Amino acid sequence: MITDTMIFLQLVLTTPWQGDDPTPLCHPVLPRLERILNHLCIIKEHTLLRLITEGFPACWDPQVSIKDLHFDGVPVRIYLPRKPSASKQRGVVFIHGGCGIFGSIRTYERVCRYIARKSDSVVVSVGYRLAPEHKYPTQTLECLTATEHFLKTAETYGVDPARVIVCGDSVGGTFTTSVCQELGQRIDIPKIRAQVLIYPFLQALNFNLPSHQKNAAVAFLTRERTVHFILKYLDKDCSLKEPILAGSHVPENINLKYRKWINPDLIPDVFKMGYKPPLPALFSPQTHKEVPELFEPWVSPLLAEDAVICGLPDTCIVTCEHDVLRDDGLLYKKRLEDNNTRVTWHHVEKGFHCSLGFFGYGIFSFPSSSTIMNHVVDFIKGY
Ligand SMILES: *[C@@H]1O[C@H](CO)[C@@H](O)[C@H](O)[C@H]1NC(C)=O
């Protein structure tokens, strides 16, 4: 997700950071730089982020043939293994992260090629249009459109429609599971075979779970930046950040209703070391009224009804220890298991949010980038 320029900046701004400890990466300069540029109106924050996450172009790939297409109007890039295949192949729809406001097909070029090569699958990377120019839920709708189109036309690309997997990281994981929740209810198109959720964002009700508390200041995605980005994504006033962080946007009846799914008590003890329950938040009807989207399943897939969860395909969830969103993944895992969905779970001890974005960048890659990538490829190869 965060590549070249970011790596360069990190290199310049930080003390030794190779290895797998994200703490030295936690540098206040970049957000501050963004803020200054933003205030000066030189460049918008999301414009800068788009720029630095574009990445270097990758070289020609002898093993994968690459084409840019449109699926019902949605830009996609398709990666076809050149090696001839006797039978129909597996398909993988890849939905990139970047909070819905940055990131692109190009950002994940190396990731998609690797999946195509190593798992011998036809990969479709979805270039959904970004917020805030294209308002929520354009992003989810375009991911749905592209996936549906691929399921219907799979055979054109030599793909078996019964072997299509959807995979995404961060908010791409949110979109992935929304696609699976929606299409799981449909009987007129082939069923998605499996979903892969790499450190997904899954709920906007509680930002005081143990992982939020523990990793509040960890690199790339702090607790504050999480809410800041959600507000940007939904094109809301960023002054809502503080009350949302405190939980003031959630009325008591909603808290009671969803306690069975979003609750620190559901997090295993090993992940709760040092956790202190926060003081109860004072409800602010004003804040609640401003952000109704936070309670919709397309922003908070953890709130989907049981009937929807029961329709989900086999699932692989990757969580990282140094990630504010770790507990979103853990809570979703529990929900899926309670509703008899098969879950393969990989917890990456040294991983952090955005690890995958460094994959394929040689010495700038992290060991956890490869760990995540290989867990994903191994899971995909099982279908
Ligand atoms: C789904 O999980 C909930 C617990 O979250 C449980 O009460 C319910 O019975 C489950 N439904 C099915 C069909 O497994």
Side-chain angles (χ1 to χ4, degrees), residues 18 47 63 93 143 155 237 247 259 261 272 283 349 372 382:
Q18 246 322 347
T47 315
Q63 293 179 61
V93 176
C143 293
E155 308 209 15
D237 191 325
R259 242 178 31 181
W261 298 332
K272 281 200 294 200
F283 174 56
E349 274 297 332
I372 295 173

Side-chain angles (χ1 to χ4, degrees), residues 260-261 306-307 309-310 334-335 337-340:
K260 56 185 182 212
W261 298 332
D306 282 342
I309 298 292
C310 289
K334 177 161 180 2
R335 272 215 73 188
E337 285 171 344
D338 285 351
N339 281 178
N340 310 311

Side-chain angles (χ1 to χ4, degrees), residues 223-331:
R223 181 172 164 263
E224 277 193 34
R225 297 270 284 169
T226 309
V227 175
H228 172 85
F229 280 138
I230 295 165
L231 292 169
K232 285 254 161 181
Y233 170 53
L234 298 173
D235 206 10
K236 304 282 175 183
D237 191 325
C238 286
S239 66
L240 294 164
K241 185 174 79 178
E242 290 305 327
I244 291 174
L245 279 168
S248 299
H249 61 307
V250 192
E252 193 50 25
N253 63 326
I254 292 192
N255 258 331
L256 286 173
K257 180 171 177 200
Y258 294 123
R259 242 178 31 181
K260 56 185 182 212
W261 298 332
I262 301 176
N263 188 335
D265 295 346
L266 305 174
I267 304 293
D269 281 339
V270 288
F271 295 113
K272 281 200 294 200
M273 243 101 84
Y275 172 68
K276 290 191 198 71
L279 294 171
L282 197 62
F283 174 56
S284 151
Q286 177 75 22
T287 309
H288 179 68
K289 265 215 306 284
E290 303 243 12
V291 287
E293 297 89 344
L294 299 187
F295 303 89
E296 294 170 3
W298 281 359
V299 172
S300 296
L302 242 166
L303 304 185
E305 293 304 323
D306 282 342
V308 173
I309 298 292
C310 289
L312 286 171
D314 290 0
T315 300
C316 172
I317 298 179
V318 178
T319 52
C320 288
E321 184 53 28
H322 304 288
D323 181 5
V324 282
L325 303 185
R326 179 198 70 189
D327 294 351
D328 282 27
L330 294 178
L331 293 175

